[in-house]
């Protein structure tokens, strides 16, 4: 079974530039998450999708971050304009329908963003 | 607001020793407590998980101890091996909403 795919793995940009990250979840997984992991910290939820709909985006800085999940499959996270404090690893995770009871998240390897 | 508090931040253990990582939570609505293992450059991967209806769960060398009244749970790694060197995150979630809250992580180093 293929895992969660993310790209690009690494991205270096200057502040005020824009960047986009892509995620392809495990086939059939209805729930998709974007997490931000700053060096030395635990993952922080940015946004959670259930199929096409947003379940939770309360911690997404909406003035600069946006995310979409087209057709309930792939997802894109965009940052525009980027700030220095956005330097982090952006993790995508997915979980299968009905795993609200098991709760297993499957993570991708992450996209490391460096903002100069 | 940190929903899950984790300690220690870092841990160094000799090969063959026992590694213990602790977590505490406040929200009694949490009903699922997983531990994730993360190697450098990789995403976190589920290691072991427990629900509050049991006080202990063991899988191989890994054991979760759960104290519902104290709202604490811990990961014990028996016979620690150099290959266990990684960052460990505890987490908590509620069935409703399927949202996960992660601890700040513990960097474990097992010395040969």
């Amino acid at each position: 079974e293929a895992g969660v795919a993310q790209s690009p793995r690494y991205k270096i940009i200057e502040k005020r530039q824009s960047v986009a990250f892509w995620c392809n979840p495990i086939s059939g997984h209805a729930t998709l998450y974007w997490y931000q992991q700053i060096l030395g910290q635990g993952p922080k939820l940015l946004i959670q999708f259930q199929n096409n709909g947003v379940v939770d985006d309360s911690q997404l800085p909406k003035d600069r971050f946006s995310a979409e999940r087209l057709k309930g499959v792939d997802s894109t996270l965009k940052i525009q304009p980027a700030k220095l404090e956005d330097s982090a690893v952006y993790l995508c995770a997915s979980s299968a329908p009905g795993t609200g009871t098991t709760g297993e998240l499957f993570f991708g390897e992450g996209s490391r963003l460096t903002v100069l | 607001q940190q929903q899950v508090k984790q300690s220690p931040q870092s841990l160094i253990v000799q090969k063959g020793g026992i590694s213990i990582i602790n977590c505490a939570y406040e929200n009694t609505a949490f009903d699922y407590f997983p531990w994730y293992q993360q190697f450098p450059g990789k995403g976190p991967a589920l290691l072991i998980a427990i629900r509050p209806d049991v006080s202990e769960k063991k899988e191989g060398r890994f054991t979760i101890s759960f104290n519902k009244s104290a709202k604490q749970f811990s990961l014990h790694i028996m016979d620690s091996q150099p290959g266990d060197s990684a960052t460990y995150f505890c987490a908590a979630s509620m069935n409703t909403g399927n949202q996960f809250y992660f601890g700040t992580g513990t960097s474990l180093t097992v010395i040969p």
Side-chain angles (χ1 to χ4, degrees):
Chain A
E1 179 183 72
V4 176
Q6 290 189 246
S7 68
R9 289 296 314 278
Y10 305 94
K11 189 75 176 179
I12 300 173
I13 62 173
E14 296 192 350
K15 61 183 179 183
R16 291 188 290 274
Q17 287 187 324
S18 63
V19 63
F21 302 112
W22 173 82
C23 173
N24 181 240
I26 293 173
S27 178
H29 282 195
T31 308
L32 185 147
Y33 309 76
W34 283 102
Y35 284 89
Q36 180 191 58
Q37 186 175 23
I38 294 173
L39 185 65
Q41 298 183 19
K44 183 186 91 170
L45 179 68
L46 292 175
I47 189 167
Q48 177 184 345
F49 292 94
Q50 179 75 21
N51 295 311
N52 288 341
V54 176
V55 173
D56 183 1
D57 64 356
S58 59
Q59 297 191 83
L60 186 74
K62 298 181 184 65
D63 58 333
R64 298 183 300 106
F65 286 65
S66 64
E68 61 180 5
R69 189 180 185 194
L70 299 177
K71 300 181 181 178
V73 182
D74 293 7
S75 178
T76 302
L77 176 70
K78 296 180 181 179
I79 308 174
Q80 182 180 11
K83 291 186 176 181
L84 296 177
E85 59 260 36
D86 298 332
S87 294
V89 175
Y90 291 86
L91 294 165
C92 180
S94 68
S95 66
T99 55
T101 56
T102 62
E104 182 168 3
L105 296 183
F106 294 85
F107 283 90
E109 294 193 325
S111 294
R112 180 179 297 277
L113 173 66
T114 301
V115 182
L116 303 177
Chain B
Q1 181 185 4
Q2 189 69 36
Q3 295 266 8
V4 181
K5 296 182 179 179
Q6 182 173 347
S7 64
Q9 186 175 0
S10 63
L11 183 61
I12 300 174
V13 174
Q14 293 277 359
K15 178 182 176 182
I18 302 174
S19 303
I20 302 174
I21 305 171
N22 301 299
C23 282
Y25 64 97
E26 287 297 324
N27 192 339
T28 56
F30 289 140
D31 61 0
Y32 180 71
F33 301 90
W35 284 90
Y36 283 82
Q37 181 187 55
Q38 186 176 29
F39 292 104
K42 302 293 185 182
L46 179 65
L47 185 64
I48 187 172
I50 196 168
R51 296 199 178 274
D53 52 345
V54 296
S55 60
E56 185 175 280
K57 183 174 182 180
K58 183 176 181 179
E59 291 184 0
R61 297 184 295 108
F62 302 92
T63 299
I64 299 179
S65 297
F66 186 82
N67 186 328
K68 189 174 182 178
S69 61
K71 292 186 284 187
Q72 295 175 348
F73 57 110
S74 60
L75 175 69
H76 296 237
I77 305 174
M78 311 300 287
D79 187 25
S80 298
Q81 299 296 313
D84 297 330
S85 296
T87 300
Y88 293 82
F89 295 97
C90 61
S93 76
M94 291 172 274
N95 186 21
T96 55
N98 208 19
Q99 296 165 347
F100 288 77
Y101 300 90
F102 286 83
T104 50
T106 297
S107 177
L108 171 65
T109 302
V110 181
I111 300 172

